[in-house]
């Protein structure tokens, strides 16, 4: 079975500081990887995805993530956060031939302080 | 235009009642999903339909019954509601090839009292 672990449940960070959200997955087969953001009282919005190719993926709102196959990780980073980045962030994995099912990590709450 | 719309947005009901949540997408996607998000924000898939055919059916009590009249609609009916059913339910859609990712609705917050 595949699982997704987000190592930090909450990350406080000051405005304009960098942030990194960690995501590790377990799977013995090829996977596709995603990061979603959930703003308060809203649905989830796709930030970025890794399907194949370059291991550094750039997404919306200045976020990027790096796929590391040997460490089975897909950490999300932003060099300078804004107050508006306060939200819940979810890492998700899809295994090939998994019926298109996305399995989500437990989420990381980012709280940006002025 | 809203891409994936769910109704109602909020639903408060008593234990034992039967309720439905509706979902519609106008993106031309062929696959739709229901996810449950609990109070700790954990997201778990419940069902998935591709072109009206059930393709994912996770371990969900049979009080939950999805219905897909066409590929643009996926409704969720819940019988004999229990306190533990309180959660936010998200509808999502995608093409079966996941390259484009899922598009989520804004959620239905169900509170069972």
């Amino acid at each position: 079975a595949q699982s997704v672990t987000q190592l930090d449940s909450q990350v406080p960070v000051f405005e304009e500081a960098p942030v990194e959200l960690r995501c590790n997955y377990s799977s013995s087969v090829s996977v596709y990887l995603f990061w979603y953001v959930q703003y308060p009282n809203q649905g989830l919005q796709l930030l970025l995805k890794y399907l194949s190719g370059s291991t550094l993926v750039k997404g919306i709102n200045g976020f990027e993530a790096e796929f590391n196959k040997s460490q089975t990780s897909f950490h999300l980073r932003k060099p300078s956060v804004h107050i508006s980045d306060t939200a819940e962030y979810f890492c998700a994995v899809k295994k090939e031939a998994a019926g298109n099912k996305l399995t989500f990590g437990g989420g990381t709450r980012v709280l940006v302080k002025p | 235009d809203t891409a994936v719309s769910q109704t109602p947005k909020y639903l408060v009901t008593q234990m034992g009642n039967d309720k439905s949540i509706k979902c519609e997408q106008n993106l031309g996607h062929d696959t739709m999903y229901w996810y449950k998000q609990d109070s700790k924000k954990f997201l778990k898939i419940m069902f998935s339909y591709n072109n009206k055919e059930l393709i994912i059916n996770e371990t969900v009590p049979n009080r939950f019954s999805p219905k897909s009249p066409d590929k643009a609609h996926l409704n969720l009916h819940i019988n004999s509601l229990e306190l533990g059913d309180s959660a936010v339910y998200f509808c999502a859609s995608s093409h079966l090839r996941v390259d484009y990712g899922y598009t989520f609705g804004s959620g239905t917050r169900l509170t069972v009292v």
Side-chain angles (χ1 to χ4, degrees), chain A residues 40-92:
Chain A
N41 298 314
Q42 294 188 27
L44 281 77
Q45 180 182 358
L46 181 65
L47 274 178
L48 49 79
K49 59 183 183 285
Y50 172 79
L51 305 178
S52 64
S54 173
T55 57
L56 183 63
V57 179
K58 292 190 184 297
I60 62 171
N61 301 341
F63 284 93
E64 64 180 31
E66 185 152 21
F67 170 57
N68 187 320
K69 187 174 181 179
S70 63
Q71 296 186 7
T72 60
S73 67
F74 191 54
H75 300 335
L76 180 71
R77 293 190 288 265
K78 184 169 182 176
S80 175
V81 295
H82 303 292
I83 295 289
S84 59
D85 291 322
T86 293
E88 194 87 23
Y89 292 79
F90 293 93
C91 182

